[in-house]
Amino acid sequence: MKNISRRSFVNKFGIGLGAAAVITTLPSFLTAPENSKKPYTGKKLNIALCGLGNYAGMLADGILASEYCNLAGLVTGTPAKAEKWKKQYNIPDKNIYNYQNFDDIKNNKDIDLVYVVVPNGLHKEFVIRSAKAGKHVITEKPMAVSVKDCEEMIKACNDNNVQLAVGYRLHFEPFHLEIKRLGQQKVFGQVRFIDASLGYKTYDTTHPGVDFDKNAREEWRHSKKLSGGGPLMDLGVYCIQASRYVLGEEPIAVTAQFGTVNDKIRFAEVEESINWQLEFPSGAVSNCSTSCGFNIDRFYASADEGSFELSPALSYGPFKGKTSEKELVFPEINQQKTQLDEICKVLIENKKLPNHITGEEGLKDIKVINAIYKAAESGKKVLL
C-alpha cells in the first residue's frame, strides 16, 4: 500500500487554508500515520444486536466496516426479520434469539457483547439480562428512563464483571472532538452562551426506529411507557451532551417550558416540543430546544474572544462548522464503525472503558433530563 503523508492526507480530504491547525486536533485514531497502517489481524469481539430496527441497520453497516468486531448474533421479536437478517449477514441459527429465549445466550461462547437497540423503556431489562448472561453491553441512549433504572443497570454489570457502554457516537466524531477542545481549553476564552437544538418535523419510517413488536415498531416513541418521554429523551439528549462536554462542567440549575402541541392525538402521552435553559458553575448558560414539530439541527457557542458553531450539528451529518476565525473542515467518518472500534479495542485489551461513555455518563444525562421535565411541569427553576 502506498505511504500516506500528513500533507497528502490533508489534500485528499480537500482541507483548505488554515487546515494545518485544524488537522492537528484530530484524535490519534483519525490522524494518518506517516507509514501505512497494517490491517488488524488480532482478536475481534462478536456482537449480537438486540432489536432490529432502522438504527440497527446502521450499526450492522458499522460492524461490517469495523476492524475489531463481527456481527455474530441477532435478537428480535419478529421471525421475518430474523430470517431476512440471517440470510443477509450469514448468521447461524444457534446465534439467533427472540425476547423470550434471550437468556440462553449465556451458554453461547460465540457472543461476547450485546448491543441493545430496543425502545428506551426496555433498555434496563435487556442490559440486566445481558449482564447476567456474562456479556459486555452497549445500550443506545438515553441509557434508561429513570435514575433508578440506570443505577440498577450499572450495579448489574458491576456484579457480573462485565462492562457497560452507552452509544455516544458523537464522542468519537472529529467536529465534536474539536468543539469540545475549543470549549474546554478555552481557545476563545470562557464560553458564556450555548445554543443547541435538534428537531425533526415528523417521525416516520425513515427515522431510526427500533424493532420490538408489530404494534410498537414505529409508534413506541409516543408511548410514555416505552419511550420515557418525547423528543427530549430521543433527541434532546444530544443537546445536553454537547453543552456538558463543550463546557466540561455539570449543570447546576434548569428552567424549562413545554412547547405547543399541534398533534394532540400523536402526542397525547409525551411532549411534542420542549425548550430548556441550563445554568453552569462558570456562569455559562445553555439554551436548548427539541421537537417533533419542526426541523432544526444546530450548535452555537459564544465565548469571551470569539465563537464556534456547527450546522448540521447533532444528527448523523455530514457536519459543517466554523469559528469566528475560520472554517472547520474534517473528514467525514463512519460514526458507528468508529464508535464500535474504539469500544471494542478497549474491551479486547481487558482495560476499563473511559468514563465518558460508561453507564455513569448515561446516568448524568438522565438526571438532567428528569430535572428538565420537573422544571417544565412545575414552571419553577430546579436545582441539580
Side-chain angles (χ1 to χ4, degrees), residues 102-305:
F102 172 75
D103 298 325
D104 293 341
I105 202 169
K106 68 179 182 292
N107 300 314
N108 192 334
K109 294 183 179 180
D110 291 339
I111 305 295
D112 301 304
L113 183 152
V114 177
Y115 199 130
V116 176
V117 209
V118 293
N120 307 333
L122 301 168
H123 288 180
K124 170 189 168 183
E125 175 186 345
F126 286 96
V127 166
I128 291 176
R129 290 171 74 178
S130 298
K132 289 181 176 179
K135 309 300 179 183
H136 295 301
V137 200
I138 306 173
T139 183
E140 260 312 299
K141 58 201 168 305
M143 178 178 169
V145 299
S146 73
V147 168
K148 183 174 181 290
D149 284 358
C150 291
E151 291 172 342
E152 291 180 10
M153 293 157 72
I154 292 169
K155 184 178 186 301
C157 289
N158 289 338
D159 288 350
N160 289 279
N161 198 31
V162 298
Q163 295 204 59
L164 170 62
V166 182
Y168 289 120
R169 58 186 168 79
L170 294 182
H171 285 212
F172 306 99
E173 198 284 322
F175 282 91
H176 281 260
L177 288 166
E178 176 65 355
I179 63 172
K180 176 182 177 181
R181 184 189 74 89
L182 293 173
Q184 291 196 19
Q185 295 185 16
K186 296 180 171 54
V187 173
F188 294 102
Q190 174 64 50
V191 172
R192 302 295 180 183
F193 175 78
I194 287 174
D195 185 280
S197 300
L198 182 61
Y200 299 105
K201 188 173 182 181
T202 59
Y203 285 124
D204 55 29
T205 56
T206 66
H207 187 80
V210 175
D211 156 49
F212 184 67
D213 65 48
K214 63 182 179 180
N215 297 317
R217 212 164 292 145
E218 290 303 330
E219 295 303 317
W220 68 265
R221 287 184 178 83
H222 308 136
S223 161
K224 184 68 177 290
K225 181 179 179 181
L226 288 174
S227 67
L232 176 59
M233 297 290 290
D234 191 33
L235 306 174
V237 65
Y238 291 99
C239 305
I240 295 167
Q241 272 280 303
S243 300
R244 290 178 52 233
Y245 57 65
V246 166
L247 288 166
E249 302 176 38
E250 295 303 320
I252 57 175
V254 59
T255 52
Q257 308 81 35
F258 288 119
T260 302
V261 180
N262 296 300
D263 189 336
K264 291 181 171 57
I265 296 176
R266 174 176 279 185
F267 298 98
E269 296 184 27
V270 300
E271 79 278 0
E272 181 175 336
S273 301
I274 189 168
N275 308 301
W276 67 97
Q277 302 77 41
L278 299 175
E279 299 176 17
F280 291 85
S282 64
V285 174
S286 176
N287 181 53
C288 304
S289 60
T290 187
S291 178
C292 297
F294 55 83
N295 297 318
I296 191 166
D297 182 6
R298 69 185 301 269
F299 173 91
Y300 176 84
S302 179
D304 286 341
E305 300 166 14

Side-chain angles (χ1 to χ4, degrees), residues 28-39:
S28 60
F29 59 85
L30 289 175
T31 54
E34 294 302 322
N35 298 310
S36 298
K37 180 181 176 182
K38 294 181 180 179

Side-chain angles (χ1 to χ4, degrees), residues 45-49 63 69-74 89-92 94-97 108 110-113:
L45 287 192
N46 292 325
I47 295 179
L49 290 175
I63 293 170
C69 55
N70 296 310
L71 179 55
L74 309 171
Y89 297 103
N90 194 30
I91 307 296
K94 69 182 183 65
N95 291 357
I96 299 175
Y97 300 88
N108 192 334
D110 291 339
I111 305 295
D112 301 304
L113 183 152

Side-chain angles (χ1 to χ4, degrees), residues 314-356:
L314 300 165
S315 56
Y316 296 106
F319 302 120
K320 292 182 66 176
K322 64 180 181 179
T323 74
S324 47
E325 295 180 347
K326 64 189 175 185
E327 183 180 4
L328 295 176
V329 184
F330 292 103
E332 184 179 355
I333 65 167
N334 182 322
Q335 296 172 25
Q336 291 74 29
K337 169 195 178 301
T338 305
Q339 170 196 291
L340 286 160
D341 273 345
E342 290 306 304
I343 290 173
C344 290
K345 274 196 296 185
V346 174
L347 295 176
I348 288 169
E349 294 169 358
N350 292 314
K351 296 180 180 178
K352 295 292 290 183
L353 290 168
N355 292 336
H356 69 90

Side-chain angles (χ1 to χ4, degrees), residues 15 206 374:
I15 300 176
T206 66
K374 184 177 179 180

